[in-house]
Amino acid sequence: DRRDGLGVYTADPYAYDRVLYNNENAVIIQDMFPKSSVHLLVLPKSDRNLLHPFKAFEDPQLLADIKVEVERAKQMVASELRRKYGQFSKSEQARIQARDADDPPEVLPEGRDWMKEIITGVHAVPSMNHLHVHVMSRDMVNDCLTRSAHYNSFQTSFLVPLEKFPLADDDPVRRIGYGPWHTVDLVCWRCKENFGNRVTKLKAHLAEEHDQWKRE
Ligand code: GMP
């Protein structure tokens, strides 16, 4: 089944170049069809990893372990963003200039906090059977993003952050997957412009936003 495609990475981590990190709790891999310029997945190694995430994360130990791995993946995404875009970033340049000045200040400017540019979570209705947590830059610029559902699955409450877990029995998040998230308007994450259902227009716009965003 195509939906079982993520199982191979935890079963045989050393067989795949896409596996970037491996320990006893999880593997961290590159998404094969990334929807942002950097898009990783955390795949727990757990006997609960074929459960729906709402069920799987009822286990406090699993939830705690995976939060640690998601934090690790965030650090990986942040350093990849710094590597890719640091050269364009005004705040990074300010830090480097201060550092390399003849008379450097006692306290250097912070540089850019790339951790703030990252979104994480699970889909309310996952498209793949094995438990996976998305950890990605928030730009949503990638050729693999072709459909409005790709965009909205990360830019609406359909993406459920780990902080929401464990869910109470009556938590409204449990109903998100059955709501109209799929057909809501495409809204730019950065400037909030509404593109209706015009995904081609949105993509052209996101490319422009990306150019501004990397310069911040
Ligand atoms: O939500 C499931 C995620 O898994 C999506 O972002 C897909 O792009 C991704 N995906 C689907 N199949 C594969 C695969 O075989 N390998 C990897 N690395 N990612 C996949």
Side-chain angles (χ1 to χ4, degrees):
D1 185 345
R2 190 192 61 77
R3 289 175 183 268
D4 287 327
L6 297 179
V8 295
Y9 301 104
T10 45
D12 194 4
Y14 294 103
Y16 301 93
D17 290 343
R18 273 199 186 80
V19 176
L20 305 179
Y21 182 87
N22 173 37
N23 69 12
E24 68 275 20
N25 292 327
V27 296
I28 300 174
I29 68 168
Q30 286 173 319
D31 196 294
M32 199 191 280
F33 310 101
K35 308 302 188 300
S36 255
S37 58
V38 185
H39 186 171
L40 305 185
L41 301 173
V42 176
L43 308 180
K45 292 179 183 174
S46 162
D47 53 12
R48 301 178 74 83
N49 75 354
L50 284 170
L51 299 176
H52 187 282
F54 298 176
K55 187 76 192 158
F57 289 141
E58 284 173 11
D59 178 350
Q61 190 60 53
L62 173 61
L63 185 57
D65 290 344
I66 289 322
K67 282 183 176 174
V68 172
E69 301 311 322
V70 166
E71 198 57 27
R72 191 192 311 281
K74 281 184 73 177
Q75 298 285 354
M76 292 165 68
V77 171
S79 51
E80 180 64 3
L81 289 173
R82 180 170 293 112
R83 189 189 69 77
K84 281 170 82 99
Y85 304 129
Q87 60 192 312
F88 304 109
S89 164
K90 280 190 198 67
S91 39
E92 297 279 13
Q93 280 163 10
R95 180 178 167 81
I96 290 163
Q97 268 168 26
R99 187 194 62 196
D100 297 345
D102 292 339
D103 184 19
E106 209 135 297
V107 182
L108 292 179
E110 284 284 329
R112 185 159 180 188
D113 183 3
W114 295 100
M115 294 289 268
K116 292 206 175 97
E117 311 297 338
I118 297 170
I119 56 179
T120 71
V122 295
H123 282 156
V125 181
S127 58
M128 300 295 277
N129 289 334
H130 292 80
L131 190 57
H132 56 283
V133 184
H134 295 271
V135 181
M136 65 207 291
S137 56
R138 60 181 180 151
D139 50 277
M140 305 304 292
V141 172
N142 201 294
D143 289 345
C144 293
L145 195 161
T146 54
R147 299 190 285 119
S148 52
H150 290 154
Y151 184 82
N152 278 337
S153 72
F154 294 105
Q155 294 295 330
T156 66
S157 47
F158 191 75
L159 184 71
V160 184
L162 289 198
E163 295 78 66
K164 297 254 187 194
F165 295 102
L167 297 179
D169 286 345
D170 60 349
D171 194 307
V173 165
R174 292 184 182 278
R175 297 195 299 269
I176 287 170
Y178 307 97
W181 72 273
H182 199 284
T183 52
V184 301
D185 287 353
L186 297 163
V187 175
C188 173
W189 63 271
R190 197 158 180 269
C191 75
K192 313 294 180 215
E193 186 174 346
N194 187 323
F195 290 87
N197 63 359
R198 295 164 302 158
V199 72
T200 309
K201 281 267 188 318
L202 172 75
K203 280 180 60 105
H205 175 80
L206 289 175
E208 287 171 25
E209 290 285 12
H210 184 259
D211 205 52
Q212 299 294 315
W213 169 77
K214 72 186 187 189
R215 286 169 212 280
E216 276 178 21

